[in-house]
Amino acid sequence: MNKALTEAKFQFDGQNNVYHGKVRDVYSIGEDLLVMVATDRISAFDHILPEGIPFKGEVLNKIAERFLDETSDIVPNWKIATPDPVVTVGKRVEPFKVEMVIRGYCTGHAWREYRSGKRILCGVNMPEGMREHDRFPKPIITPATKAEQGDHDEDISREDIISKGIVSQQDYELLEKYTSELFDRGTQIADAHGLILVDTKYEFGKSKNGQIVLIDEIHTPDSSRYFYKEGYEKRQANGEQQKQLSKEFVREWLIENDFQGLDGQIMPEIPESFVKMVSERYIELYEKVTGTQFAGDSSNDPHARVQHNVDEFLKSYRA
């Protein structure tokens, strides 16, 4: 198994800023470029686990690359190139301050709200008589915005987004259109590989010439939830839990080990066997979602590899 890339302390030519996220690190190059590094860090319950997961960053980056390419006919995206297995270089745009979340099934946050008695989510009506993991009559768009305090997401309605001037009505209508079309495409691709795309989120920005652009990742296990299509109807009819293809199993393991990110709880030690299992699950997920075999980079010094590959790309890009 390769060495996990957990610390991404790069210095690229022309670099003027860096943002270290939970999983991704984003380097600003000059005025127009971003270098996004998908590290092997893994987070759950808003906490980064102390051990990295080999190949995780590569899985996320390659899935995002594939789906950005397969949806570029719907909406232009930020990607310019992927000069390294864990790196995407793209155009810098001004991001919209909302995440476009779309849900095909009453699962996760939607189900928790529904179970509590709510029948309206982000201004969208949810039918009576639904059970967990039931399919909505048609997908619902439930936007989210970052809270002013902290980094958690907050539900927000279409009406509030427009009335508060977060996004103009004209732009928001385009975001909804793109969100629905991207979800339709993702659903079709997932279906062809024996999967159900349950819910996902998309992020958009606007370029200097006013063009709306799809940014960040798309249809990855960190931004999306999948069910196995085979057996879905039977499990639903029997009231059984659905077989998921996501990083939910990491959260389940932490819960079993008495950690949910609550005050006073201590992150459990992460055994090597668990790290190996998580890595294998991400690889399985890649192969199922893309329908292709995973051939990971086995570099013993991924940091040096990334530095070299990005340096070479920037030289040729500017030439």
Side-chain angles (χ1 to χ4, degrees), residues 46-271:
D46 284 333
H47 286 70
I48 299 172
L49 275 63
E51 301 292 336
I53 306 300
F55 299 118
K56 175 183 178 286
E58 187 170 350
V59 163
L60 295 184
N61 199 58
K62 285 184 172 179
I63 290 177
E65 176 191 14
R66 187 183 185 98
F67 280 108
L68 286 171
D69 289 345
E70 292 186 355
T71 58
S72 61
D73 62 316
I74 296 173
V75 54
N77 62 63
W78 75 292
K79 182 177 81 74
I80 295 173
T82 50
D84 183 89
V86 301
V87 174
T88 298
V89 178
K91 296 168 283 192
R92 180 192 294 191
V93 300
E94 184 66 31
F96 289 106
K97 294 181 179 179
V98 292
E99 292 182 350
M100 298 300 289
V101 182
I102 182 166
R103 306 175 187 277
Y105 294 75
C106 192
T107 296
H109 176 62
W111 170 247
R112 288 189 290 272
E113 294 291 284
Y114 194 93
R115 184 177 55 190
S116 73
K118 295 181 181 178
R119 293 296 180 267
I120 298 177
L121 182 61
C122 300
V124 181
N125 290 313
M126 297 184 288
E128 291 289 347
M130 296 195 76
R131 299 171 303 160
E132 184 177 17
H133 306 319
D134 275 353
R135 184 178 183 177
F136 287 117
K138 66 177 184 178
I140 63 174
I141 295 176
T142 59
T145 187
K146 296 292 183 186
E148 291 185 9
Q149 299 295 325
D151 62 356
H152 61 281
D153 297 339
E154 289 186 342
D155 292 337
I156 188 169
S157 69
R158 178 187 199 272
E159 291 72 22
D160 281 348
I161 290 171
I162 294 170
S163 67
K164 292 179 179 180
I166 299 172
V167 180
S168 71
Q169 181 169 341
Q170 182 179 4
D171 284 346
Y172 188 79
E173 288 174 354
L174 254 184
L175 296 186
E176 280 194 332
K177 175 179 180 290
Y178 288 146
T179 296
S180 294
E181 291 177 358
L182 289 167
F183 190 70
D184 285 346
R185 179 68 57 81
T187 297
Q188 294 165 10
I189 295 171
D191 183 74
H193 297 144
L195 297 173
I196 294 169
L197 179 57
V198 178
D199 51 44
T200 191
K201 67 174 183 176
Y202 304 111
E203 296 189 49
F204 298 91
K206 183 177 273 193
S207 65
K208 291 178 181 178
N209 64 5
Q211 184 181 50
I212 291 178
V213 176
L214 177 65
I215 61 174
D216 202 40
E217 61 183 334
I218 171 177
H219 297 162
T220 73
D222 278 16
S223 67
S224 314
R225 192 190 319 260
Y226 293 90
F227 290 157
Y228 284 87
K229 183 171 67 172
E230 184 178 359
Y232 165 80
E233 297 290 353
K234 183 177 180 181
R235 284 189 289 271
Q236 203 62 7
N238 294 336
E240 300 170 358
Q241 280 297 308
Q242 289 298 329
K243 189 177 179 185
Q244 295 196 31
L245 198 62
S246 68
K247 70 171 186 178
E248 188 66 28
F249 66 92
V250 176
R251 298 187 190 94
E252 291 171 353
W253 184 89
L254 289 171
I255 291 171
E256 290 170 3
N257 286 270
D258 303 316
F259 184 82
Q260 296 183 64
L262 303 176
D263 288 344
Q265 292 184 333
I266 299 173
M267 175 74 71
E269 291 188 14
I270 311 297

Side-chain angles (χ1 to χ4, degrees), residues 268-281:
E269 291 188 14
I270 311 297
E272 186 176 336
S273 58
F274 180 71
V275 171
K276 184 174 184 293
M277 184 269 286
V278 176
S279 182
E280 289 171 349
R281 288 287 292 271

